[in-house]
Amino acid sequence: NQQDLQESLNYVFKYLYIIAIPAIFGIFVLGGYIVKLIYGIEYLPAVFPFYILSLLILMTPLASIIESLFSAREKPKYLIKIIILSTILGIILNYIFITIFIKTSSHMAIVGVAIATVISQTFYLLGILLYTKKELNISLDLTHLTKPLIASAIMALILFSINLMIDLNLIIGILEILLGAIIYFSVMFLIKGIGKKDIHLLKKIFKDLKSR
């Protein structure tokens, strides 16, 4: 029924962002080092667009889940409307930002494309969320964002402080990723963002993903 669907969507929303939010913070802290270590210093100009596009980790999975709801309810026309509008917006923004940023450099033009992509995808997500509320009478509980944001900020601050004191290499980078995960889930546990039941479920999810 409607109540079960509402609870199921928020259940998925909660676990999606328990994983997605720290991933974005981790990219902001370690993304530059990762690009430099793997691809070399000449690829560092790609880091800023990488940071911007990392925000899609929040948007794309949620949009896909909501799209499946409309398909299941046989209401694809609402998706088509917002897809057309967001596509037009993306084309316009790409033209504007490329035209402006190309005057500085080709690297800045790529930054413009990344910004245009994130803005158009944000518009798309907000649009389908609005239709979800209006047509399906389902809304997301945004309080699920609060504790992952707090725990991720603490994790990022600690990792950033460590990076100010050491020279990062591949092994230390891998250890920092593990340390970041330990810090994040420890803080989440302390502030009651997750419990033992959630940890067991997340372990099961990771095992299922690994086995595929």
Side-chain angles (χ1 to χ4, degrees), residues 6 60 70 73 77 123 125 134 157 173 197-198 203:
Q6 171 88 37
T60 305
F70 279 95
R73 293 295 183 90
K77 64 179 182 179
F123 175 83
L125 179 59
K134 183 179 178 181
L157 182 60
K197 179 182 176 182
D198 299 314
K203 284 181 180 178

Side-chain angles (χ1 to χ4, degrees), residues 139-180:
S139 58
L140 295 180
D141 183 1
L142 297 180
T143 59
H144 289 314
L145 292 171
T146 306
K147 291 179 179 179
L149 283 171
I150 292 170
S152 297
I154 293 171
M155 175 198 72
L157 182 60
I158 293 173
L159 294 183
F160 182 76
S161 300
I162 292 172
N163 290 342
L164 291 176
M165 298 182 288
I166 62 173
D167 292 325
L168 201 66
N169 57 42
L170 184 59
I171 294 175
I172 294 176
I174 293 172
L175 291 175
E176 276 205 15
I177 292 172
L178 295 174
L179 176 62

Side-chain angles (χ1 to χ4, degrees), residues 81-115:
K81 289 179 183 178
I82 197 65
I83 287 171
I84 292 172
L85 289 173
S86 61
T87 300
I88 293 171
L89 177 63
I91 292 170
I92 294 171
L93 290 177
N94 269 287
Y95 175 78
I96 293 172
F97 289 148
I98 291 173
T99 301
I100 294 172
F101 291 162
I102 196 68
K103 296 175 182 178
T104 303
S105 70
S106 58
H107 293 308
M108 286 303 297
I110 296 174
V111 172
V113 171
I115 294 172

Side-chain angles (χ1 to χ4, degrees), residues 23-77:
I24 292 174
F25 275 80
I27 287 172
F28 272 85
V29 174
L30 297 172
Y33 297 102
I34 292 171
V35 170
K36 183 179 177 181
L37 287 169
I38 297 176
Y39 298 105
I41 196 169
E42 63 272 16
Y43 282 87
L44 283 179
V47 171
F48 194 43
F50 181 42
Y51 290 156
I52 297 170
L53 291 173
S54 69
L55 297 174
L56 295 178
I57 296 173
L58 288 174
M59 303 177 197
T60 305
L62 181 57
S64 297
I65 292 167
I66 296 172
E67 287 167 4
S68 66
L69 288 179
F70 279 95
S71 297
R73 293 295 183 90
E74 297 182 351
K75 294 185 176 183
K77 64 179 182 179

